[in-house]
Amino acid sequence: MPGRPDGVSRVEPTSAWPALRGIAYGGDYNPEQWPRETWRDDVRLMREAGVTLVSVGIFSWALLEPAEGEFDFAWLDEVIDLLHENGIRVDLGTPTASPPAWFFAAHPDARVIDRDGRVMGFGSRGMASHSAPAYREAIVRIASALAARYADHPAVVLWHVHNEYGVPVGEDYSAHSVAAFRTWLRERYGNLEALNAAWGTAFWGQRYTAWEHVGAPAIAPSVVNPAQRLDFARFTDAQLRACFRAERDAIRAHATQPITTNFMANQSWTTDLWKWAAEVDVVSDDSYPWAADPENEIGLAMASDLTRSVAGGAPWILMEHSTSAVNWQPRNVAKRPGEMARNSLAHFGRGADAVLFFQWRASRSGAEKFHSAMLPHAGTSSRVWREVVQLGADLGKLAEVQGSRVVADAAILWDFESAWAQDLEWRPSVELDHKERTRAYYERLWRDRITVDFALPTHDLAQYPLVIAPAQYLLTARGAANLERYVAGGGTLVVSYFAAVVDEHDRVHEGGYGAPLATALGLRVEEFLPLREGEVTTVAYGGAELTADAWQEHLVLEGAEVRGVHQGGPAAGGPAVTRHSHGRGHAWYVSTRLDPAGLAAVMADVYADAGLAPADAPEGVELVTRRGPDTDYLVAVNHRDTPARIPATGRELLADAPVEGALELPGGAVAVVRTPHGATGDTAS
Ligand code: GAL
């Protein structure tokens, strides 16, 4: 993988995938929370459940290095040897998400300070400043010591650096962070004039005359310069990655196993996962959908698709999810019977070649004692345990799917920098939440079973018949030129409102909003016309009346044809939805917030332009195809209680039964059908 800094003597990874055959199964294992007698019981039960891979040591720093520079590996030796004797492989963590008490006693300046100026206390996790020199030194010391000791242990197949960078601590306003921010800015801008220009410091008299005056965008009486905040978000991401790189390179100096760190695709907005994916040997992700969402399978799918996309389509590791309830949401709804398997196999369907949980055995003490586990407090006489054992057996039947790749039909743009910029204060309306529109478009495609890859505006998009830009507020000239080329080359592009408004410094593009896309879209936006809270309007679209709210714009057409007309609100009588033929392709612009039915109506016409057709299956059935060298695998998940019948032919791997023409999928069930190439209806290659 790219991104390795030069000049470090190190060994190369032997492979990008843990040396495991089949779909890995297991979870975080925290034996230090239990007496030794329990460990033997653990491995016996792990074998019973079909566990093949466990993550060890993620929060063990205080035990491994009880005093600065003094190490105690005896217990870990014992645990890893025991796992090895039982054929269970180890994903070895570096414990750097939670430094020991002695570290903070020695280095009180290494504590994180939040935007409001509060110094973070001890007794939790994620308390250390990623910019503190003492922290940097300490993480390299512990990572090196672990790597030197376990590099050659045959059980260790993967390294797991830190835990969920950016959660719970991303931004840090400590003195170390401010100093590092200045250094980062100097490297980025070279001189103060360039910084003043990029941040537009002529506004509100912010102009800087000395680097020492430049600070982090801490809380202030009014809104802080958005360009400064955007750069601080970029800097924060870069600092976290620098910490990862420091540990990774310390490990790599000794060890050949692949190295990863667990992302949080559905929660973290601090880390630019496109950049992170280039740093790891294999992508891994933690998945915790919002339990109260009655259709949380959609959010789960979206996070999986993003994870796979940042991995460049390669198989990835589901590093954590939950067997049942989590412990940190307002109402921790327990998973219903069968839901864990549906969740697990939905991730698998979207490219995960490992299904792991937080955690193996439910804790007795501590902040997470009410979090579900593979082995619950109730023990083995429990529904959860029985389902865990069943899932292990099922995954064992899916070994041949390992390494196959998901077939995607369309792309949605997902740009962290644009999201960071868009979600700052003082935008034209509080309704302009980038996640809301991204989810709305994703959801439409999910319901139509059009599998999505995520992409950046600068990516090569030619392979996708359809590209959607649901929230591309920030668009660089390069990104805009790429999107224009995509359309000219025959693609179908859909752009949602408030797009291409600013450049990389959050400076408004001149010449009308969306000017960089004017050629592709055949229009410009003269004025934003946000609606009042609760104001609902309609759009005449074909013979239909679509419902919309929140947002309108005054469009000036430069060649686009009008497909939908506002029937009320400040833009009444003006265009709401347009389509422009450009080169060999078409660009659609949707300048209002359509409700789901309205979006469905527009997208049906968009699909026709793109030559896409929704797959044939009852509502609530998720269908994804993974493609291997010789065969396709249709993964079908029925999220409803009612049975479904799906056209398919081949062999169903879980029941090991033939499927001739139709797959009968009971309510709540999952099936994986091996079919000839192309027989799943997914013809994209
Ligand atoms: C994850 C974290 C785990 C555990 C889990 C609980 O975000 O990595 O350590 O806290 O959440 O849901």
Side-chain angles (χ1 to χ4, degrees):
M1 284 290 215
R4 302 273 189 269
D6 289 322
V8 186
S9 103
R10 63 188 182 271
V11 283
E12 286 302 321
T14 47
S15 115
W17 187 252
L20 287 176
R21 290 180 68 112
I23 307 302
Y25 187 49
D28 282 18
Y29 180 38
N30 297 305
E32 65 271 40
Q33 294 176 15
W34 299 94
R36 263 194 182 68
E37 308 82 80
T38 311
W39 300 355
R40 298 218 161 258
D41 209 34
D42 282 334
V43 288
R44 180 180 61 76
L45 291 172
M46 282 178 192
R47 290 175 61 140
E48 191 178 318
V51 165
T52 57
L53 180 67
V54 292
S55 305
V56 179
I58 298 172
F59 292 105
S60 309
W61 198 345
L63 292 185
L64 293 172
E65 191 179 356
E68 183 166 336
E70 281 173 30
F71 297 102
D72 174 9
F73 292 118
W75 69 273
L76 188 58
D77 288 351
E78 208 179 312
V79 166
I80 296 182
D81 288 346
L82 180 65
L83 290 164
H84 182 54
E85 283 157 25
N86 286 275
I88 297 158
R89 303 300 182 97
V90 173
D91 163 35
L92 189 51
T94 67
T96 51
S98 193
W102 59 254
F103 173 82
F104 291 104
H107 308 286
D109 56 305
R111 287 167 195 250
V112 169
I113 298 183
D114 76 359
R115 187 158 189 252
D116 295 335
R118 297 176 305 176
V119 183
M120 297 293 114
F122 185 69
S124 180
R125 60 177 168 182
M127 305 143 297
S129 162
H130 291 95
S131 301
Y135 177 71
R136 292 283 181 102
E137 201 182 302
I139 62 175
V140 167
R141 187 172 60 236
I142 184 74
S144 300
L146 279 163
R149 188 161 189 98
Y150 298 106
D152 298 323
H153 199 296
V156 177
V157 293
L158 179 67
W159 292 91
H160 177 304
V161 172
H162 198 267
N163 193 61
E164 295 177 344
Y165 280 100
V167 181
V169 167
E171 290 191 346
D172 166 30
Y173 290 78
S174 70
H176 293 302
S177 180
V178 172
F181 184 42
R182 278 186 206 127
T183 306
W184 184 89
L185 290 169
R186 273 175 186 256
E187 279 165 21
R188 184 173 174 85
Y189 293 108
N191 59 65
L192 272 181
E193 274 319 298
L195 175 84
N196 280 312
W199 285 8
T201 58
F203 186 80
W204 279 358
Q206 195 188 354
R207 186 180 165 72
Y208 293 105
T209 52
W211 283 106
E212 307 76 72
H213 303 163
V214 181
I219 203 80
S222 185
V223 163
V224 175
N225 186 337
Q228 182 179 1
R229 293 202 65 186
L230 177 57
D231 266 350
F232 196 63
R234 291 182 174 120
F235 155 79
T236 298
D237 172 61
Q239 283 303 90
L240 296 171
R241 265 183 296 122
C243 285
F244 170 76
R245 272 200 296 269
E247 288 197 42
R248 179 199 64 198
D249 293 345
I251 295 169
R252 186 57 77 230
H254 301 277
T256 57
Q257 299 94 337
I259 303 172
T260 190
T261 181
N262 45 344
F263 298 165
M264 282 215 97
N266 74 341
Q267 271 180 43
S268 165
W269 291 98
T270 342
T271 46
D272 183 338
L273 297 183
W274 297 107
K275 296 196 171 105
W276 282 80
E279 304 280 1
V280 298
D281 295 318
V282 54
V283 163
S284 63
D285 190 56
D286 296 353
S287 169
Y288 292 102
W290 198 246
D293 175 356
E295 286 189 304
N296 65 27
E297 58 269 17
I298 301 176
L300 181 157
M302 188 157 119
S304 296
D305 286 343
L306 176 61
T307 303
R308 182 190 67 255
S309 300
V310 299
W316 51 281
I317 294 174
L318 174 60
M319 187 61 87
E320 292 181 24
H321 68 147
S322 65
T323 56
S324 187
V326 298
N327 62 309
W328 43 266
Q329 295 181 6
R331 286 162 198 85
N332 294 299
V333 180
K335 291 189 181 175
R336 300 318 300 141
E339 192 174 347
M340 178 189 75
R342 282 195 295 284
N343 285 180
S344 293
L345 290 161
H347 290 104
F348 158 84
R350 292 178 189 273
D353 269 2
V355 172
L356 311 177
F357 292 96
F358 176 84
Q359 59 179 331
W360 162 252
R361 185 185 276 271
S363 302
R364 287 190 65 194
S365 310
E368 301 199 306
K369 59 180 173 295
F370 296 124
H371 197 287
S372 60
M374 297 176 84
L375 184 55
H377 289 140
T380 53
S381 302
S382 60
R383 174 188 69 81
V384 167
W385 174 254
R386 285 188 291 277
E387 291 194 20
V388 162
V389 174
Q390 180 62 47
L391 180 60
D394 283 347
L395 291 174
K397 297 175 191 160
L398 301 176
E400 67 176 79
V401 187
Q402 185 188 14
S404 60
R405 291 189 168 222
V406 171
V407 179
D409 310 298
I412 295 184
L413 300 185
W414 183 301
D415 182 342
F416 289 92
E417 293 207 356
S418 180
W420 294 337
Q422 174 168 338
D423 289 356
L424 292 171
E425 310 105 314
W426 286 9
R427 289 345 193 190
S429 169
V430 292
E431 306 288 351
L432 291 167
D433 169 3
H434 84 276
K435 273 186 236 160
E436 187 281 326
R437 277 299 84 181
T438 307
R439 161 80 185 224
Y441 279 88
Y442 181 86
E443 187 167 325
R444 185 64 255 150
L445 271 65
W446 188 92
R447 292 189 194 287
D448 292 332
R449 297 171 199 90
I450 290 177
T451 306
V452 165
D453 274 349
F454 287 97
L456 281 171
T458 46
H459 283 167
D460 181 1
L461 301 165
Q463 61 178 304
Y464 302 107
L466 170 64
V467 172
I468 301 171
Q472 199 62 50
Y473 160 72
L474 182 159
L475 186 63
T476 61
R478 213 177 119 229
N482 191 47
L483 293 177
E484 198 244 291
R485 264 196 309 277
Y486 164 75
V487 179
T492 299
L493 176 70
V494 180
V495 178
S496 180
Y497 54 84
F498 200 53
V501 177
V502 298
D503 69 7
E504 56 271 41
H505 300 300
D506 200 44
R507 278 185 310 214
V508 172
H509 287 296
E510 288 182 305
Y513 300 121
L517 289 177
T519 313
L521 294 174
L523 58 79
R524 284 164 204 268
V525 179
E526 186 177 309
E527 197 179 2
F528 299 139
L529 302 169
L531 302 186
R532 295 193 167 82
E533 187 174 8
E535 190 175 353
V536 175
T537 60
T538 56
V539 172
Y541 184 84
E545 195 168 272
L546 314 183
T547 305
D549 71 350
W551 189 258
Q552 295 185 342
E553 292 170 339
H554 176 187
L555 306 186
V556 178
L557 303 184
E558 295 178 356
E561 72 185 273
V562 178
R563 298 296 293 264
V565 177
H566 288 293
Q567 292 185 299
V577 179
T578 63
R579 174 180 180 267
H580 185 229
S581 302
H582 176 63
R584 294 191 283 123
H586 300 99
W588 290 72
Y589 189 63
V590 183
S591 71
T592 187
R593 189 165 82 178
L594 293 174
D595 74 357
L599 201 54
V602 173
M603 290 308 289
D605 291 336
V606 167
Y607 293 160
D609 269 353
L612 287 170
D616 179 21
E619 203 190 315
V621 174
E622 186 173 349
L623 295 179
V624 185
T625 300
R626 291 185 63 160
R627 178 156 294 167
D630 307 317
T631 47
D632 281 355
Y633 298 96
L634 174 68
V635 182
V637 185
N638 187 352
H639 295 284
R640 297 285 192 277
D641 292 335
T642 40
R645 169 175 254 254
I646 295 142
T649 294
R651 189 152 200 94
E652 203 286 310
L653 300 179
L654 297 175
D656 193 20
V659 179
E660 284 152 10
L663 170 72
E664 305 293 344
L665 197 60
V670 184
V672 181
V673 184
R674 184 205 295 132
T675 72
H677 265 165
T680 59
D682 255 311
T683 45
S685 52

